[in-house]
Amino acid sequence: MRYFLDEAVAAARGVAGLVVGDRTVERHFDLTLRGLLGSLIALLLVTAASAYLPVLMGQPGGILRGILAYSLLLSLQVGFSAIVLFQVKRLDGFVPYFTADNWASVYVTILSTALSLMGVSDEFLSVPIAVLVIVIAVNIGRLIVKLEPLQVAMFVIAQMVGAVAGGFVLSLFVPISS
């Protein structure tokens, strides 16, 4: 448990480094399979908590719908990213990318959930969070995976296409709660 907490604290520093473009940011992440597992556990815990939060606040919610939606979006984003890494012959960067991206998702989710709980409207949060996510994605490609500039652009566009495709699929198959 102590290792996991140390890893989470170091990853928080890493995510902050990704936001500001710290060139030494990779030292904060465990970019091995062990680190990937830790990031997946953290992401699972945060996703479950954020999906369950509306129920705790007295709003009937679709916990399963939220987890399903997030899982689909994440799967498509990661899948499209893997395709780009395969195309540019950099699959060696997949585990580091996935690890750093998971930790970034953990802390962006915590931040957006905390701001929502403080009463900041989702309409106000959507643009700044989107910009933050793009900055992090660019810096993961640039500083963690160490892609060339054009490859970074392809990498980020692939992630955005995955998210849009996921949103489209969700709108077709997952009913909107009433």
Side-chain angles (χ1 to χ4, degrees):
M1 184 67 165
R2 178 76 179 152
Y3 171 79
F4 184 74
L5 292 175
D6 291 343
E7 183 180 5
V9 169
R13 288 186 188 104
V15 172
L18 287 170
V19 171
V20 298
D22 177 7
R23 294 193 182 278
T24 64
V25 71
E26 101 180 283
R27 66 190 163 100
H28 295 293
F29 296 103
D30 178 355
L31 299 175
T32 65
L33 287 174
R34 180 179 176 176
L36 176 60
L37 179 61
S39 72
L40 284 169
I41 290 168
L43 185 61
L44 178 63
L45 292 172
V46 167
T47 301
S50 71
Y52 191 67
L53 194 60
V55 173
L56 291 176
M57 302 205 45
Q59 302 168 350
I63 296 170
L64 185 58
R65 181 180 306 125
I67 291 174
L68 173 68
Y70 189 79
S71 298
L72 176 67
L73 291 172
L74 178 67
S75 298
L76 287 173
Q77 174 197 333
V78 169
F80 279 59
S81 299
I83 291 169
V84 169
L85 290 174
F86 177 77
Q87 290 296 319
V88 298
K89 297 176 179 31
R90 286 299 315 277
L91 274 176
D92 61 307
F94 181 75
V95 170
Y97 146 70
F98 199 19
T99 302
D101 189 67
N102 287 344
W103 280 115
S105 295
V106 164
Y107 289 108
V108 168
T109 300
I110 290 170
L111 173 67
S112 61
T113 302
L115 290 171
S116 290
L117 289 173
M118 290 189 291
V120 179
S121 72
D122 290 340
E123 291 82 23
F124 182 74
L125 281 177
S126 60
V127 172
I129 293 293
V131 170
L132 178 65
V133 167
I134 291 170
V135 167
I136 289 171
V138 166
N139 284 334
I140 287 174
R142 195 170 68 86
L143 302 170
I144 299 292
V145 185
K146 298 182 178 18
L147 298 172
E148 297 297 321
L150 184 57
Q151 294 172 335
V152 171
M154 291 170 40
F155 187 64
V156 172
I157 289 169
Q159 291 177 47
M160 290 190 297
V161 168
V164 168
F168 179 71
V169 170
L170 283 173
S171 70
L172 290 175
F173 297 107
V174 178
I176 297 173
S177 61
S178 49

